[in-house]
Amino acid sequence: MPLAPSPHAPLPPRLQGRLPVRVELAGLTAEDFYRILTEPQHNMLRQQAVLMATEGVDLQFTDGAERAIAKAAEDANRLLDNIGARRLHTVLERVLAEVSFSADKLVAEAKANKASSSTGSSKDAAAAQVLKPSSGKGKKQKQQVG
């Protein structure tokens, strides 16, 4: 049974589907990475915040921190292998490594600060703030513990 010619394909029917199709795609931009980080309902930033909440850490990302992560992912893809959106996992892992491995110490420090604080009514006064450079570019990211 012969294949019917397709009006959209320039190849003869016997060759359709047998040759690899190569397409060049443009790399993701910082704005694309930012959208990937913020638009999905269960995005990676929320997942990391929920994961850290299991250790008692209240992790919050500012808009500037989200954009810095997106820019770092774009730069890493441009300079290293372009692995697309998977690069965000690597960047987030690096940014949160110190907080992830010292979460118990940070929580203990925050509780000690809260106990010694005379103005226990303000959540911001009771929260310990940890400043961490994001992706080695000197930018700071704020994580609140409390």
Side-chain angles (χ1 to χ4, degrees):
M1 181 151 118
L3 295 173
S6 172
H8 302 292
L11 295 174
R14 65 183 170 276
L15 294 178
Q16 288 178 19
R18 295 184 184 265
L19 300 174
V21 177
R22 297 206 42 137
V23 177
E24 275 298 314
L25 299 176
L28 294 171
T29 65
E31 187 61 29
D32 295 331
F33 282 116
Y34 177 76
R35 289 182 58 213
I36 292 167
L37 280 173
T38 58
E39 286 183 9
Q41 182 178 2
H42 301 293
N43 61 53
M44 285 188 272
L45 298 177
R46 286 189 187 150
Q47 291 176 15
Q48 289 296 322
V50 170
L51 180 65
M52 296 306 294
T54 62
E55 298 292 327
V57 176
D58 180 21
L59 182 63
Q60 300 173 356
F61 293 94
T62 63
D63 185 62
E66 292 168 353
R67 292 196 182 275
I69 291 169
K71 180 68 174 149
E74 178 190 34
D75 292 344
N77 266 354
R78 189 171 15 86
L79 298 173
L80 304 170
D81 290 332
N82 188 351
I83 60 172
R86 292 174 296 209
R87 179 69 64 194
L88 288 171
H89 286 287
T90 306
V91 172
L92 278 174
E93 182 180 302
R94 296 275 176 118
V95 168
L96 297 175
E98 185 177 328
V99 176
S100 296
F101 290 111
S102 61
D104 55 341
K105 294 175 193 168
L106 293 172
V107 170
E109 286 176 17
K111 287 182 181 178
N113 288 343
K114 186 175 182 179
S116 65
S117 174
S118 61
T119 60
S121 62
S122 170
K123 180 179 178 184
D124 290 334
Q129 296 183 357
V130 178
L131 295 177
K132 174 166 179 24
S134 85
S135 72
K137 295 187 184 229
K139 296 179 183 176
K140 303 278 181 181
Q141 176 183 336
K142 177 177 142 182
Q143 293 103 21
Q144 289 187 344
V145 182

mmCIF file of all heavy atoms in Angstrom, residues 18-69:
data_model
loop_
_atom_site.group_PDB
_atom_site.id
_atom_site.type_symbol
_atom_site.label_atom_id
_atom_site.label_comp_id
_atom_site.label_asym_id
_atom_site.label_seq_id
_atom_site.Cartn_x
_atom_site.Cartn_y
_atom_site.Cartn_z
ATOM 1 N N ARG A 18 11.974 9.262 7.575
ATOM 2 C CA ARG A 18 13.177 8.428 7.639
ATOM 3 C C ARG A 18 14.451 9.242 7.806
ATOM 4 O O ARG A 18 15.488 8.693 8.137
ATOM 5 C CB ARG A 18 13.289 7.565 6.385
ATOM 6 C CG ARG A 18 12.156 6.563 6.272
ATOM 7 C CD ARG A 18 12.347 5.674 5.078
ATOM 8 N NE ARG A 18 11.233 4.780 4.905
ATOM 9 C CZ ARG A 18 11.204 3.539 5.367
ATOM 10 N NH1 ARG A 18 12.222 3.052 6.012
ATOM 11 N NH2 ARG A 18 10.144 2.793 5.170
ATOM 12 N N LEU A 19 14.382 10.528 7.558
ATOM 13 C CA LEU A 19 15.562 11.381 7.677
ATOM 14 C C LEU A 19 15.436 12.258 8.922
ATOM 15 O O LEU A 19 14.346 12.736 9.246
ATOM 16 C CB LEU A 19 15.706 12.265 6.431
ATOM 17 C CG LEU A 19 15.854 11.511 5.109
ATOM 18 C CD1 LEU A 19 15.830 12.483 3.952
ATOM 19 C CD2 LEU A 19 17.118 10.691 5.100
ATOM 20 N N PRO A 20 16.528 12.458 9.621
ATOM 21 C CA PRO A 20 16.446 13.313 10.815
ATOM 22 C C PRO A 20 16.183 14.763 10.422
ATOM 23 O O PRO A 20 16.645 15.243 9.392
ATOM 24 C CB PRO A 20 17.824 13.163 11.457
ATOM 25 C CG PRO A 20 18.715 12.730 10.358
ATOM 26 C CD PRO A 20 17.872 11.955 9.395
ATOM 27 N N VAL A 21 15.421 15.428 11.227
ATOM 28 C CA VAL A 21 15.122 16.836 11.002
ATOM 29 C C VAL A 21 15.913 17.635 12.028
ATOM 30 O O VAL A 21 15.807 17.399 13.226
ATOM 31 C CB VAL A 21 13.609 17.108 11.147
ATOM 32 C CG1 VAL A 21 13.313 18.586 10.973
ATOM 33 C CG2 VAL A 21 12.834 16.283 10.158
ATOM 34 N N ARG A 22 16.721 18.572 11.557
ATOM 35 C CA ARG A 22 17.541 19.402 12.445
ATOM 36 C C ARG A 22 16.980 20.806 12.458
ATOM 37 O O ARG A 22 16.747 21.396 11.415
ATOM 38 C CB ARG A 22 18.977 19.412 11.986
ATOM 39 C CG ARG A 22 19.562 18.008 12.048
ATOM 40 C CD ARG A 22 21.004 18.001 12.214
ATOM 41 N NE ARG A 22 21.476 18.973 13.161
ATOM 42 C CZ ARG A 22 22.400 18.736 14.052
ATOM 43 N NH1 ARG A 22 22.919 17.547 14.139
ATOM 44 N NH2 ARG A 22 22.822 19.664 14.863
ATOM 45 N N VAL A 23 16.789 21.324 13.654
ATOM 46 C CA VAL A 23 16.247 22.666 13.818
ATOM 47 C C VAL A 23 17.134 23.410 14.800
ATOM 48 O O VAL A 23 17.467 22.883 15.862
ATOM 49 C CB VAL A 23 14.795 22.608 14.350
ATOM 50 C CG1 VAL A 23 14.252 24.000 14.579
ATOM 51 C CG2 VAL A 23 13.910 21.833 13.409
ATOM 52 N N GLU A 24 17.530 24.611 14.476
ATOM 53 C CA GLU A 24 18.302 25.452 15.393
ATOM 54 C C GLU A 24 17.328 26.255 16.241
ATOM 55 O O GLU A 24 16.473 26.964 15.709
ATOM 56 C CB GLU A 24 19.199 26.425 14.617
ATOM 57 C CG GLU A 24 20.522 25.885 14.188
ATOM 58 C CD GLU A 24 21.433 25.458 15.329
ATOM 59 O OE1 GLU A 24 21.573 26.214 16.313
ATOM 60 O OE2 GLU A 24 21.997 24.369 15.232
ATOM 61 N N LEU A 25 17.449 26.144 17.532
ATOM 62 C CA LEU A 25 16.605 26.903 18.446
ATOM 63 C C LEU A 25 17.442 27.987 19.106
ATOM 64 O O LEU A 25 18.621 27.784 19.398
ATOM 65 C CB LEU A 25 16.012 25.983 19.518
ATOM 66 C CG LEU A 25 15.118 24.858 19.028
ATOM 67 C CD1 LEU A 25 14.691 23.979 20.190
ATOM 68 C CD2 LEU A 25 13.898 25.416 18.326
ATOM 69 N N ALA A 26 16.825 29.111 19.371
ATOM 70 C CA ALA A 26 17.512 30.193 20.073
ATOM 71 C C ALA A 26 17.594 29.827 21.557
ATOM 72 O O ALA A 26 16.694 29.178 22.108
ATOM 73 C CB ALA A 26 16.750 31.492 19.889
ATOM 74 N N GLY A 27 18.677 30.231 22.209
ATOM 75 C CA GLY A 27 18.830 29.970 23.641
ATOM 76 C C GLY A 27 17.826 30.771 24.454
ATOM 77 O O GLY A 27 17.299 31.795 24.004
ATOM 78 N N LEU A 28 17.552 30.300 25.649
ATOM 79 C CA LEU A 28 16.629 30.997 26.530
ATOM 80 C C LEU A 28 17.269 32.283 27.031
ATOM 81 O O LEU A 28 18.456 32.321 27.347
ATOM 82 C CB LEU A 28 16.249 30.105 27.710
ATOM 83 C CG LEU A 28 15.453 28.854 27.365
ATOM 84 C CD1 LEU A 28 15.337 27.949 28.578
ATOM 85 C CD2 LEU A 28 14.073 29.223 26.860
ATOM 86 N N THR A 29 16.471 33.319 27.152
ATOM 87 C CA THR A 29 16.952 34.600 27.666
ATOM 88 C C THR A 29 16.675 34.686 29.163
ATOM 89 O O THR A 29 15.966 33.832 29.725
ATOM 90 C CB THR A 29 16.246 35.773 26.961
ATOM 91 O OG1 THR A 29 14.850 35.728 27.299
ATOM 92 C CG2 THR A 29 16.430 35.711 25.460
ATOM 93 N N ALA A 30 17.213 35.723 29.794
ATOM 94 C CA ALA A 30 16.967 35.926 31.226
ATOM 95 C C ALA A 30 15.472 36.101 31.482
ATOM 96 O O ALA A 30 14.952 35.615 32.496
ATOM 97 C CB ALA A 30 17.746 37.131 31.732
ATOM 98 N N GLU A 31 14.774 36.773 30.576
ATOM 99 C CA GLU A 31 13.333 36.955 30.735
ATOM 100 C C GLU A 31 12.602 35.613 30.635
ATOM 101 O O GLU A 31 11.650 35.352 31.384
ATOM 102 C CB GLU A 31 12.796 37.927 29.681
ATOM 103 C CG GLU A 31 11.342 38.298 29.880
ATOM 104 C CD GLU A 31 11.047 38.990 31.204
ATOM 105 O OE1 GLU A 31 11.916 39.680 31.753
ATOM 106 O OE2 GLU A 31 9.921 38.802 31.701
ATOM 107 N N ASP A 32 13.053 34.718 29.747
ATOM 108 C CA ASP A 32 12.462 33.377 29.657
ATOM 109 C C ASP A 32 12.664 32.608 30.959
ATOM 110 O O ASP A 32 11.737 31.970 31.468
ATOM 111 C CB ASP A 32 13.083 32.585 28.496
ATOM 112 C CG ASP A 32 12.777 33.179 27.133
ATOM 113 O OD1 ASP A 32 11.717 33.814 26.974
ATOM 114 O OD2 ASP A 32 13.618 33.011 26.222
ATOM 115 N N PHE A 33 13.885 32.665 31.491
ATOM 116 C CA PHE A 33 14.166 31.982 32.755
ATOM 117 C C PHE A 33 13.325 32.564 33.890
ATOM 118 O O PHE A 33 12.824 31.840 34.745
ATOM 119 C CB PHE A 33 15.650 32.074 33.111
ATOM 120 C CG PHE A 33 16.514 31.111 32.346
ATOM 121 C CD1 PHE A 33 17.482 31.576 31.462
ATOM 122 C CD2 PHE A 33 16.387 29.749 32.502
ATOM 123 C CE1 PHE A 33 18.290 30.702 30.754
ATOM 124 C CE2 PHE A 33 17.184 28.855 31.803
ATOM 125 C CZ PHE A 33 18.131 29.336 30.923
ATOM 126 N N TYR A 34 13.171 33.889 33.900
ATOM 127 C CA TYR A 34 12.361 34.538 34.934
ATOM 128 C C TYR A 34 10.916 34.042 34.861
ATOM 129 O O TYR A 34 10.308 33.738 35.888
ATOM 130 C CB TYR A 34 12.426 36.064 34.772
ATOM 131 C CG TYR A 34 11.568 36.803 35.758
ATOM 132 C CD1 TYR A 34 11.973 36.950 37.079
ATOM 133 C CD2 TYR A 34 10.338 37.340 35.385
ATOM 134 C CE1 TYR A 34 11.183 37.618 37.993
ATOM 135 C CE2 TYR A 34 9.551 38.016 36.291
ATOM 136 C CZ TYR A 34 9.974 38.161 37.602
ATOM 137 O OH TYR A 34 9.195 38.812 38.506
ATOM 138 N N ARG A 35 10.375 33.945 33.640
ATOM 139 C CA ARG A 35 9.014 33.443 33.475
ATOM 140 C C ARG A 35 8.905 31.995 33.951
ATOM 141 O O ARG A 35 7.919 31.611 34.579
ATOM 142 C CB ARG A 35 8.587 33.557 32.022
ATOM 143 C CG ARG A 35 8.342 35.003 31.583
ATOM 144 C CD ARG A 35 7.868 35.102 30.167
ATOM 145 N NE ARG A 35 6.636 34.333 30.023
ATOM 146 C CZ ARG A 35 6.298 33.690 28.916
ATOM 147 N NH1 ARG A 35 7.074 33.700 27.856
ATOM 148 N NH2 ARG A 35 5.169 33.020 28.863
ATOM 149 N N ILE A 36 9.921 31.184 33.663
ATOM 150 C CA ILE A 36 9.922 29.783 34.099
ATOM 151 C C ILE A 36 9.954 29.710 35.625
ATOM 152 O O ILE A 36 9.316 28.854 36.239
ATOM 153 C CB ILE A 36 11.111 29.022 33.481
ATOM 154 C CG1 ILE A 36 10.915 28.885 31.974
ATOM 155 C CG2 ILE A 36 11.291 27.658 34.128
ATOM 156 C CD1 ILE A 36 12.156 28.435 31.223
ATOM 157 N N LEU A 37 10.688 30.627 36.248
ATOM 158 C CA LEU A 37 10.794 30.639 37.710
ATOM 159 C C LEU A 37 9.526 31.141 38.400
ATOM 160 O O LEU A 37 9.266 30.764 39.540
ATOM 161 C CB LEU A 37 11.954 31.538 38.153
ATOM 162 C CG LEU A 37 13.340 30.965 38.078
ATOM 163 C CD1 LEU A 37 14.370 32.045 38.392
ATOM 164 C CD2 LEU A 37 13.505 29.799 39.030
ATOM 165 N N THR A 38 8.754 31.989 37.751
ATOM 166 C CA THR A 38 7.659 32.654 38.456
ATOM 167 C C THR A 38 6.248 32.288 37.990
ATOM 168 O O THR A 38 5.333 32.323 38.793
ATOM 169 C CB THR A 38 7.811 34.179 38.348
ATOM 170 O OG1 THR A 38 7.844 34.562 36.969
ATOM 171 C CG2 THR A 38 9.078 34.640 39.047
ATOM 172 N N GLU A 39 6.065 31.958 36.726
ATOM 173 C CA GLU A 39 4.711 31.771 36.219
ATOM 174 C C GLU A 39 4.027 30.454 36.594
ATOM 175 O O GLU A 39 2.853 30.469 36.923
ATOM 176 C CB GLU A 39 4.681 31.949 34.698
ATOM 177 C CG GLU A 39 4.806 33.393 34.294
ATOM 178 C CD GLU A 39 4.701 33.600 32.791
ATOM 179 O OE1 GLU A 39 4.351 32.632 32.066
ATOM 180 O OE2 GLU A 39 4.982 34.716 32.347
ATOM 181 N N PRO A 40 4.699 29.315 36.536
ATOM 182 C CA PRO A 40 3.982 28.073 36.883
ATOM 183 C C PRO A 40 3.482 28.087 38.328
ATOM 184 O O PRO A 40 4.122 28.671 39.215
ATOM 185 C CB PRO A 40 5.035 26.979 36.703
ATOM 186 C CG PRO A 40 6.040 27.566 35.784
ATOM 187 C CD PRO A 40 6.057 29.032 36.087
ATOM 188 N N GLN A 41 2.348 27.477 38.543
ATOM 189 C CA GLN A 41 1.758 27.448 39.882
ATOM 190 C C GLN A 41 2.705 26.786 40.887
ATOM 191 O O GLN A 41 2.853 27.250 42.013
ATOM 192 C CB GLN A 41 0.423 26.709 39.854
ATOM 193 C CG GLN A 41 -0.279 26.674 41.186
ATOM 194 C CD GLN A 41 -1.625 25.969 41.108
ATOM 195 O OE1 GLN A 41 -2.024 25.474 40.062
ATOM 196 N NE2 GLN A 41 -2.315 25.928 42.220
ATOM 197 N N HIS A 42 3.338 25.706 40.496
ATOM 198 C CA HIS A 42 4.260 24.985 41.381
ATOM 199 C C HIS A 42 5.689 25.161 40.856
ATOM 200 O O HIS A 42 6.356 24.188 40.519
ATOM 201 C CB HIS A 42 3.886 23.509 41.466
ATOM 202 C CG HIS A 42 2.496 23.290 41.966
ATOM 203 N ND1 HIS A 42 2.124 23.593 43.246
ATOM 204 C CD2 HIS A 42 1.379 22.837 41.353
ATOM 205 C CE1 HIS A 42 0.834 23.321 43.407
ATOM 206 N NE2 HIS A 42 0.366 22.863 42.260
ATOM 207 N N ASN A 43 6.141 26.410 40.806
ATOM 208 C CA ASN A 43 7.460 26.686 40.242
ATOM 209 C C ASN A 43 8.573 26.258 41.193
ATOM 210 O O ASN A 43 8.327 25.901 42.348
ATOM 211 C CB ASN A 43 7.580 28.170 39.863
ATOM 212 C CG ASN A 43 7.421 29.085 41.046
ATOM 213 O OD1 ASN A 43 8.077 28.949 42.056
ATOM 214 N ND2 ASN A 43 6.522 30.054 40.910
ATOM 215 N N MET A 44 9.798 26.302 40.698
ATOM 216 C CA MET A 44 10.946 25.822 41.473
ATOM 217 C C MET A 44 11.191 26.639 42.736
ATOM 218 O O MET A 44 11.632 26.096 43.747
ATOM 219 C CB MET A 44 12.198 25.818 40.606
ATOM 220 C CG MET A 44 12.227 24.692 39.616
ATOM 221 S SD MET A 44 13.803 24.585 38.786
ATOM 222 C CE MET A 44 13.514 25.695 37.438
ATOM 223 N N LEU A 45 10.910 27.927 42.692
ATOM 224 C CA LEU A 45 11.130 28.756 43.874
ATOM 225 C C LEU A 45 10.162 28.368 44.992
ATOM 226 O O LEU A 45 10.565 28.268 46.156
ATOM 227 C CB LEU A 45 10.980 30.234 43.519
ATOM 228 C CG LEU A 45 11.978 30.767 42.498
ATOM 229 C CD1 LEU A 45 11.684 32.207 42.167
ATOM 230 C CD2 LEU A 45 13.400 30.599 42.990
ATOM 231 N N ARG A 46 8.911 28.143 44.638
ATOM 232 C CA ARG A 46 7.939 27.700 45.654
ATOM 233 C C ARG A 46 8.303 26.322 46.195
ATOM 234 O O ARG A 46 8.147 26.043 47.380
ATOM 235 C CB ARG A 46 6.535 27.676 45.070
ATOM 236 C CG ARG A 46 5.960 29.046 44.887
ATOM 237 C CD ARG A 46 4.509 28.985 44.516
ATOM 238 N NE ARG A 46 4.040 30.322 44.183
ATOM 239 C CZ ARG A 46 3.090 30.574 43.325
ATOM 240 N NH1 ARG A 46 2.482 29.586 42.702
ATOM 241 N NH2 ARG A 46 2.713 31.803 43.069
ATOM 242 N N GLN A 47 8.772 25.445 45.304
ATOM 243 C CA GLN A 47 9.179 24.114 45.754
ATOM 244 C C GLN A 47 10.324 24.212 46.755
ATOM 245 O O GLN A 47 10.328 23.512 47.777
ATOM 246 C CB GLN A 47 9.591 23.266 44.558
ATOM 247 C CG GLN A 47 8.448 22.881 43.652
ATOM 248 C CD GLN A 47 8.916 22.127 42.421
ATOM 249 O OE1 GLN A 47 10.041 21.643 42.351
ATOM 250 N NE2 GLN A 47 8.058 22.038 41.423
ATOM 251 N N GLN A 48 11.302 25.069 46.469
ATOM 252 C CA GLN A 48 12.422 25.238 47.391
ATOM 253 C C GLN A 48 11.959 25.840 48.716
ATOM 254 O O GLN A 48 12.436 25.448 49.782
ATOM 255 C CB GLN A 48 13.510 26.127 46.769
ATOM 256 C CG GLN A 48 14.258 25.474 45.644
ATOM 257 C CD GLN A 48 15.047 24.264 46.106
ATOM 258 O OE1 GLN A 48 15.611 24.239 47.185
ATOM 259 N NE2 GLN A 48 15.085 23.243 45.268
ATOM 260 N N ALA A 49 11.030 26.803 48.665
ATOM 261 C CA ALA A 49 10.512 27.409 49.893
ATOM 262 C C ALA A 49 9.795 26.368 50.746
ATOM 263 O O ALA A 49 9.973 26.324 51.968
ATOM 264 C CB ALA A 49 9.578 28.563 49.555
ATOM 265 N N VAL A 50 8.998 25.508 50.110
ATOM 266 C CA VAL A 50 8.285 24.457 50.845
ATOM 267 C C VAL A 50 9.275 23.439 51.403
ATOM 268 O O VAL A 50 9.138 22.982 52.544
ATOM 269 C CB VAL A 50 7.230 23.784 49.938
ATOM 270 C CG1 VAL A 50 6.652 22.553 50.590
ATOM 271 C CG2 VAL A 50 6.138 24.774 49.596
ATOM 272 N N LEU A 51 10.294 23.103 50.621
ATOM 273 C CA LEU A 51 11.313 22.165 51.092
ATOM 274 C C LEU A 51 12.033 22.723 52.320
ATOM 275 O O LEU A 51 12.244 22.013 53.308
ATOM 276 C CB LEU A 51 12.308 21.880 49.972
ATOM 277 C CG LEU A 51 13.441 20.909 50.287
ATOM 278 C CD1 LEU A 51 12.876 19.517 50.557
ATOM 279 C CD2 LEU A 51 14.428 20.864 49.146
ATOM 280 N N MET A 52 12.392 23.997 52.277
ATOM 281 C CA MET A 52 13.082 24.612 53.414
ATOM 282 C C MET A 52 12.147 24.783 54.611
ATOM 283 O O MET A 52 12.592 24.765 55.757
ATOM 284 C CB MET A 52 13.676 25.963 53.009
ATOM 285 C CG MET A 52 14.766 25.868 51.952
ATOM 286 S SD MET A 52 16.115 24.751 52.387
ATOM 287 C CE MET A 52 16.807 25.593 53.772
ATOM 288 N N ALA A 53 10.845 24.928 54.361
ATOM 289 C CA ALA A 53 9.882 25.043 55.461
ATOM 290 C C ALA A 53 9.837 23.766 56.294
ATOM 291 O O ALA A 53 9.540 23.824 57.493
ATOM 292 C CB ALA A 53 8.500 25.369 54.912
ATOM 293 N N THR A 54 10.167 22.622 55.693
ATOM 294 C CA THR A 54 10.203 21.382 56.470
ATOM 295 C C THR A 54 11.301 21.420 57.523
ATOM 296 O O THR A 54 11.237 20.697 58.512
ATOM 297 C CB THR A 54 10.419 20.152 55.565
ATOM 298 O OG1 THR A 54 11.678 20.266 54.908
ATOM 299 C CG2 THR A 54 9.307 20.021 54.542
ATOM 300 N N GLU A 55 12.305 22.273 57.305
ATOM 301 C CA GLU A 55 13.387 22.443 58.274
ATOM 302 C C GLU A 55 13.142 23.630 59.201
ATOM 303 O O GLU A 55 13.988 23.967 60.023
ATOM 304 C CB GLU A 55 14.727 22.642 57.544
ATOM 305 C CG GLU A 55 15.142 21.477 56.693
ATOM 306 C CD GLU A 55 15.484 20.245 57.514
ATOM 307 O OE1 GLU A 55 16.000 20.399 58.645
ATOM 308 O OE2 GLU A 55 15.202 19.138 57.041
ATOM 309 N N GLY A 56 11.989 24.307 59.012
ATOM 310 C CA GLY A 56 11.665 25.461 59.846
ATOM 311 C C GLY A 56 12.201 26.775 59.307
ATOM 312 O O GLY A 56 12.237 27.771 60.020
ATOM 313 N N VAL A 57 12.630 26.804 58.048
ATOM 314 C CA VAL A 57 13.179 28.018 57.445
ATOM 315 C C VAL A 57 12.113 28.667 56.563
ATOM 316 O O VAL A 57 11.526 28.014 55.714
ATOM 317 C CB VAL A 57 14.425 27.696 56.580
ATOM 318 C CG1 VAL A 57 14.939 28.940 55.886
ATOM 319 C CG2 VAL A 57 15.506 27.078 57.440
ATOM 320 N N ASP A 58 11.855 29.945 56.785
ATOM 321 C CA ASP A 58 10.927 30.707 55.968
ATOM 322 C C ASP A 58 11.738 31.369 54.863
ATOM 323 O O ASP A 58 12.353 32.408 55.068
ATOM 324 C CB ASP A 58 10.210 31.752 56.822
ATOM 325 C CG ASP A 58 9.223 32.588 56.025
ATOM 326 O OD1 ASP A 58 8.788 32.158 54.951
ATOM 327 O OD2 ASP A 58 8.901 33.702 56.483
ATOM 328 N N LEU A 59 11.744 30.768 53.694
ATOM 329 C CA LEU A 59 12.556 31.231 52.572
ATOM 330 C C LEU A 59 11.708 32.099 51.669
ATOM 331 O O LEU A 59 10.658 31.675 51.201
ATOM 332 C CB LEU A 59 13.101 30.029 51.797
ATOM 333 C CG LEU A 59 14.007 30.303 50.611
ATOM 334 C CD1 LEU A 59 15.282 30.993 51.082
ATOM 335 C CD2 LEU A 59 14.336 29.017 49.900
ATOM 336 N N GLN A 60 12.165 33.338 51.440
ATOM 337 C CA GLN A 60 11.436 34.270 50.586
ATOM 338 C C GLN A 60 12.391 34.841 49.557
ATOM 339 O O GLN A 60 13.509 35.217 49.895
ATOM 340 C CB GLN A 60 10.827 35.396 51.411
ATOM 341 C CG GLN A 60 9.846 34.906 52.449
ATOM 342 C CD GLN A 60 9.387 36.019 53.366
ATOM 343 O OE1 GLN A 60 9.848 37.148 53.276
ATOM 344 N NE2 GLN A 60 8.474 35.687 54.253
ATOM 345 N N PHE A 61 11.949 34.915 48.312
ATOM 346 C CA PHE A 61 12.754 35.469 47.232
ATOM 347 C C PHE A 61 12.190 36.819 46.824
ATOM 348 O O PHE A 61 10.989 36.936 46.582
ATOM 349 C CB PHE A 61 12.738 34.532 46.003
ATOM 350 C CG PHE A 61 13.415 33.227 46.226
ATOM 351 C CD1 PHE A 61 12.696 32.112 46.636
ATOM 352 C CD2 PHE A 61 14.775 33.091 46.025
ATOM 353 C CE1 PHE A 61 13.315 30.897 46.839
ATOM 354 C CE2 PHE A 61 15.407 31.877 46.216
ATOM 355 C CZ PHE A 61 14.675 30.783 46.630
ATOM 356 N N THR A 62 13.041 37.815 46.743
ATOM 357 C CA THR A 62 12.614 39.110 46.230
ATOM 358 C C THR A 62 12.612 39.054 44.710
ATOM 359 O O THR A 62 13.196 38.147 44.106
ATOM 360 C CB THR A 62 13.566 40.226 46.696
ATOM 361 O OG1 THR A 62 14.867 39.988 46.152
ATOM 362 C CG2 THR A 62 13.637 40.304 48.216
ATOM 363 N N ASP A 63 11.973 40.037 44.084
ATOM 364 C CA ASP A 63 11.958 40.094 42.630
ATOM 365 C C ASP A 63 13.381 40.234 42.093
ATOM 366 O O ASP A 63 13.732 39.617 41.085
ATOM 367 C CB ASP A 63 11.085 41.252 42.146
ATOM 368 C CG ASP A 63 10.936 41.268 40.641
ATOM 369 O OD1 ASP A 63 10.382 40.293 40.099
ATOM 370 O OD2 ASP A 63 11.399 42.237 40.007
ATOM 371 N N GLY A 64 14.200 41.009 42.774
ATOM 372 C CA GLY A 64 15.589 41.176 42.355
ATOM 373 C C GLY A 64 16.372 39.870 42.419
ATOM 374 O O GLY A 64 17.192 39.583 41.539
ATOM 375 N N ALA A 65 16.116 39.072 43.450
ATOM 376 C CA ALA A 65 16.793 37.779 43.580
ATOM 377 C C ALA A 65 16.338 36.827 42.472
ATOM 378 O O ALA A 65 17.160 36.104 41.890
ATOM 379 C CB ALA A 65 16.513 37.166 44.945
ATOM 380 N N GLU A 66 15.046 36.842 42.157
ATOM 381 C CA GLU A 66 14.536 35.986 41.079
ATOM 382 C C GLU A 66 15.180 36.367 39.751
ATOM 383 O O GLU A 66 15.579 35.509 38.970
ATOM 384 C CB GLU A 66 13.015 36.119 40.983
ATOM 385 C CG GLU A 66 12.281 35.537 42.177
ATOM 386 C CD GLU A 66 10.815 35.917 42.215
ATOM 387 O OE1 GLU A 66 10.371 36.750 41.383
ATOM 388 O OE2 GLU A 66 10.102 35.396 43.082
ATOM 389 N N ARG A 67 15.289 37.665 39.503
ATOM 390 C CA ARG A 67 15.903 38.131 38.248
ATOM 391 C C ARG A 67 17.399 37.820 38.212
ATOM 392 O O ARG A 67 17.951 37.500 37.155
ATOM 393 C CB ARG A 67 15.639 39.611 38.048
ATOM 394 C CG ARG A 67 14.167 39.881 37.771
ATOM 395 C CD ARG A 67 13.906 41.239 37.197
ATOM 396 N NE ARG A 67 12.487 41.440 37.000
ATOM 397 C CZ ARG A 67 11.806 41.042 35.931
ATOM 398 N NH1 ARG A 67 12.416 40.394 34.967
ATOM 399 N NH2 ARG A 67 10.514 41.276 35.822
ATOM 400 N N ALA A 68 18.080 37.894 39.366
ATOM 401 C CA ALA A 68 19.507 37.565 39.423
ATOM 402 C C ALA A 68 19.728 36.078 39.140
ATOM 403 O O ALA A 68 20.687 35.705 38.454
ATOM 404 C CB ALA A 68 20.080 37.944 40.783
ATOM 405 N N ILE A 69 18.856 35.228 39.650
ATOM 406 C CA ILE A 69 18.945 33.788 39.381
ATOM 407 C C ILE A 69 18.734 33.534 37.888
ATOM 408 O O ILE A 69 19.465 32.746 37.269
ATOM 409 C CB ILE A 69 17.927 33.005 40.244
ATOM 410 C CG1 ILE A 69 18.339 33.061 41.710
ATOM 411 C CG2 ILE A 69 17.798 31.564 39.767
ATOM 412 C CD1 ILE A 69 17.273 32.561 42.665
#
